[in-house]
Amino acid sequence: MCLAIPGQIIEVKEIGGLRSARVQFGGIVRQVCLDFVPEAAAGDYVMVHVGFAITKVDRLEAERTFRALQEMEGLEDELASSSSESH
Amino acid sequence: MRFVDEFREPELISKTADEIRRLAGTERHYRMMEVCGGHTHAIYRFGLKDILPENIELIHGPGCPVCVLPMGRIDDGLAIAHEPDVIFAAFGDMMRVPGTQGSPLEHKARGMDVRIVYSPADALKLARLNPEKHVMFFAIGFETTAPSTALTIMRARSEGIHNFSVFCNHVTIIPAIRAILDSPDMRLDAFIGPGHVSTVIGCRPYEWIAHNERKPIVVSGFEPLDMLQSIVMLLRQLNAGEAKVENQYKRVVPWEGNRAALKAMAEVFELRPYFEWRGLGFISQSALRINDKYAEFDTEQRFEVPGIRVTDPKAAQCGEVLKGVLKPHQCKLFGRECTPEHPIGALMVSSEGSCAAYYNYEHRKAAMVTLSLAG
């Protein structure tokens, strides 16, 4: 349950004073809080856990990790448990 | 047996496996604990045990938050949710975890307002949308998850939301490792350190394991190659008589961790004097509670919490399995009374628990072999 999922930031917005982003994970887009990675910008890749980005990664790492998580069925808990863009 | 060429980088995997065999030799027995439940799941999922030599033994650690949560805490949370106009919100992982009167999902079927949320922020959103109700977020997780709960509580306060509270069950990984090392029947040579917990806490909190306990620890990624490389790094240290903290997962884990996340945790939480861990008992300063500044958002300060304690059945040997004294299948209940469909012990509850992982991949595989032999 401590797995974080890599995704790419599509768009950054300020919502109620908080930095929030639309992040794409494979085919799914989610609203993600960027407060823990203030330096992250559109186009960057971040590791996301329970709707919060916790670290930046490069594209290669993001793609590798995403594939590995797919293989270990680690994406299901993080991505399938609610609808996308749920915030 | 899983063949090496099924992996994505077969050559690298094969070379790393050769290096492990060379380093491990045959003289010595190595006992390594992977602390994180994600690693446990990956070890079984990818069949890594099949490519390790027999003298490397992997012991599955306490890093599965669902598994180590005492049943009494689930009962407490559900008791509060029985009060009128309370919504019980929790991650999907919690939904099938049994309390003495059934799981949250079973309570939902009996009429309780139970909602699955993907994020603590979703629970806060539920509170905004249901001003006439109280939303209780049943928080679980290690340091990977706790900062997100902290930030959500800070947000609730700044927005002036009054119908939201958190039943805090966040735990911290270091005291659990300490408890395992202090246990008299524990014999471990080294640790495979958790990956994503370390993105938050960094690598420094592990230094005492190397310096004081003289045990090597390597923070590791989750891919097969990551874990095999981490085992190589541990073997090199052990063979050289060294004990250091090393970071195999540098591409994701910064040595210093995530300062913003640690700051949010420090703002909202304080350490509990002690907390009960299923299978391990009471461990001092091993869990977080909400501090007085944010008391309004603490379920335990807002509601009368019954403080239920449930003893695990004596026959369940979760503690011994957690400490690596027994393998999952050596427990008297394994695969008979205790299965993933009807978990009795803590480690059968989540797919990251060592018993569930063993059952799902090894036990079923063995059963299939027996069947095909019989057929």
Side-chain angles (χ1 to χ4, degrees), chain A residues 8-69:
Chain A
Q8 186 178 25
I9 300 176
I10 303 171
E11 185 190 9
V12 181
K13 281 187 283 193
E14 288 267 335
I15 300 177
L18 293 171
R19 280 186 87 229
S20 180
R22 292 176 69 224
V23 174
Q24 180 151 14
F25 307 90
I28 295 173
V29 175
R30 272 263 170 77
Q31 205 70 42
V32 166
C33 174
L34 292 186
D35 272 28
F36 298 140
V37 283
E39 71 284 10
D44 285 346
Y45 289 82
V46 282
M47 299 291 281
V48 177
H49 176 68
V50 298
F52 292 73
I54 53 171
T55 191
K56 260 177 71 173
V57 287
D58 64 26
R59 183 178 64 84
L60 204 65
E61 171 58 26
E63 286 170 0
R64 275 182 58 163
T65 307
F66 196 83
R67 278 199 309 267
L69 289 170

Side-chain angles (χ1 to χ4, degrees), chain B residues 83-110:
Chain B
E83 297 200 13
D85 299 325
V86 173
I87 296 175
F88 178 102
F91 295 140
D93 307 58
M94 274 308 302
M95 287 298 151
R96 291 182 189 282
V97 180
T100 43
Q101 307 298 319
S103 66
L105 263 191
E106 287 166 307
H107 280 76
K108 185 182 169 77
R110 290 179 223 137

Side-chain angles (χ1 to χ4, degrees), chain B residues 113-369:
Chain B
D113 195 346
V114 172
R115 316 277 183 103
I116 299 176
V117 290
Y118 155 70
S119 164
D122 291 347
L124 186 61
K125 187 182 174 194
L126 274 176
R128 282 192 213 103
L129 293 173
N130 297 277
E132 74 293 351
K133 303 252 179 154
H134 181 90
V135 175
M136 179 190 72
F137 175 58
F138 191 99
I140 55 163
F142 284 94
E143 289 94 331
T144 329
T145 322
S148 308
T149 304
L151 202 69
T152 303
I153 291 172
M154 288 161 70
R155 198 161 157 190
R157 189 171 187 247
S158 69
E159 285 183 32
I161 295 174
H162 301 294
N163 63 324
F164 174 74
S165 69
V166 171
F167 187 54
C168 185
N169 294 287
H170 285 302
V171 283
T172 56
I173 194 67
I174 298 292
I177 297 178
R178 196 184 295 277
I180 284 169
L181 279 170
D182 286 348
S183 164
D185 46 5
M186 187 73 238
R187 290 174 299 112
L188 278 178
D189 298 304
F191 289 93
I192 298 172
H196 293 154
V197 161
S198 305
T199 58
V200 173
I201 66 172
C203 298
R204 251 181 231 294
Y206 305 116
E207 282 176 345
W208 64 274
I209 299 172
H211 297 160
N212 303 350
E213 304 286 337
R214 303 291 307 155
K215 311 277 183 203
I217 174 163
V218 174
V219 169
S220 175
F222 293 88
E223 293 182 57
L225 188 58
D226 285 327
M227 279 183 283
L228 295 178
Q229 281 174 348
S230 298
I231 291 169
V232 166
M233 290 162 84
L234 288 173
L235 287 169
R236 285 192 181 136
Q237 284 198 48
L238 287 167
N239 289 354
E242 292 176 339
K244 292 185 291 192
V245 182
E246 289 185 287
N247 185 4
Q248 183 274 335
Y249 205 26
K250 274 187 192 138
R251 53 188 207 272
V252 171
V253 173
W255 188 265
E256 298 294 338
N258 184 320
R259 275 164 205 239
L262 290 169
K263 204 173 144 199
M265 281 170 69
E267 165 70 17
V268 174
F269 297 125
E270 60 188 21
L271 279 173
R272 291 177 193 267
Y274 53 86
F275 194 72
E276 187 178 5
W277 292 56
R278 235 180 139 173
L280 290 176
F282 285 91
I283 304 178
S284 67
Q285 302 195 317
S286 64
L288 303 172
R289 68 180 174 205
I290 296 162
N291 65 27
D292 286 345
K293 186 174 169 189
Y294 292 90
E296 185 194 351
F297 303 99
D298 184 358
T299 304
E300 291 174 86
Q301 297 194 52
R302 261 180 95 146
F303 290 83
E304 198 71 44
V305 179
I308 296 164
R309 289 203 58 211
V310 185
T311 332
D312 273 326
K314 275 223 167 71
Q317 295 168 295
C318 311
E320 282 87 345
V321 176
L322 255 182
K323 285 182 283 189
V325 180
L326 290 182
K327 299 282 160 206
H329 66 276
Q330 292 170 328
C331 170
K332 285 178 228 135
L333 303 186
F334 179 87
R336 289 182 282 271
E337 291 90 339
C338 189
T339 63
E341 288 76 27
H342 297 284
I344 290 174
L347 303 171
M348 197 58 101
V349 174
S350 150
S351 65
E352 291 186 355
S354 53
C355 292
Y358 190 95
Y359 187 92
N360 286 331
Y361 295 111
E362 296 290 318
H363 186 65
R364 288 199 170 136
K365 194 169 72 185
M368 276 162 62
V369 170

